[in-house]
């Protein structure tokens, strides 16, 4: 998921995944720069409308996901969920991306209340720690 979203953040260019700072290797262009910008705009709009992941002074691109957990023994789905939030910031000159996933959150099936708060807290920390200048003074 991070490789796909990072391709959007990187204007449609897919880079080889890595966990540390270092040399990057281009793997191809799965989407056009124009499509990547359109999707980024949509992700920024989703964050601004929902406001839970919005960070004052920054355009943040993000998307929640809520998936039902399959029941491989009985077929169908169990009464539990997997919640995700994936995003990057600053949206139009990204410095980092984050994926937060919680399997079967207790008592809270919606991603907005379970995975967005840790995403926002980590994103705010990274922006502050690395001194990333605000990109959207509102």
């Amino acid at each position: 998921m991070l490789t796909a979203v990072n391709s959007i953040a990187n204007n449609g260019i897919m880079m080889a995944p890595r966990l540390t700072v270092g040399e990057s290797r281009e793997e191809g262009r799965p989407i056009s720069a124009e499509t990547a910008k359109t999707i980024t705009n949509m992700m920024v709009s989703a964050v601004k409308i929902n406001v839970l992941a919005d960070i004052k002074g920054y355009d943040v691109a993000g998307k929640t996901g809520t998936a039902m957990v399959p029941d491989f023994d009985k077929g169908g789905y169990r009464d539990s969920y997997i919640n995700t939030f994936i995003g990057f910031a600053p949206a139009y000159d990204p410095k980092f991306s984050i994926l937060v996933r919680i399997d079967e959150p207790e008592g809270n099936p919606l991603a907005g209340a379970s995975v967005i708060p840790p995403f926002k807290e980590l994103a705010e920390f990274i922006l502050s720690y690395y001194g990333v200048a605000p990109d959207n003074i509102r």
Side-chain angles (χ1 to χ4, degrees):
M1 282 179 23
L2 272 172
T3 299
V5 168
N6 287 344
S7 296
I8 295 165
N10 201 32
N11 296 312
I13 298 171
M14 183 173 67
M15 305 300 285
R18 60 187 168 83
L19 295 175
T20 60
V21 174
E23 293 285 324
S24 295
R25 187 178 76 249
E26 188 174 321
E27 294 285 314
R29 180 180 283 279
I31 60 173
S32 71
E34 181 180 343
T35 300
K37 181 165 175 115
T38 298
I39 295 169
T40 298
N41 290 339
M42 293 166 67
M43 292 172 73
V44 168
S45 177
V47 168
K48 290 188 183 309
I49 289 169
N50 184 286
V51 304
L52 293 174
D54 198 26
I55 298 173
K56 185 176 181 183
Y58 296 91
D59 283 322
V60 177
K63 181 67 182 99
T64 60
T66 302
M68 295 178 71
V69 176
D71 187 331
F72 294 111
D73 295 328
K74 299 177 186 173
Y77 295 94
R78 299 186 346 215
D79 194 22
S80 56
Y81 301 86
I82 298 170
N83 294 342
T84 59
F85 188 84
I86 194 163
F88 52 92
Y92 300 105
D93 186 19
K95 305 298 184 216
F96 62 88
S97 58
I98 299 170
L99 168 65
V100 178
R101 173 182 164 156
I102 299 178
D103 289 6
E104 303 184 40
E106 289 185 30
N108 200 341
L110 297 178
S114 63
V115 290
I116 291 178
F119 170 89
K120 183 176 180 176
E121 184 176 334
L122 182 57
E124 288 174 328
F125 173 81
I126 292 169
L127 290 165
S128 173
Y129 184 83
Y130 288 102
V132 178
D135 68 334
N136 185 352
I137 306 301
R138 301 174 224 161

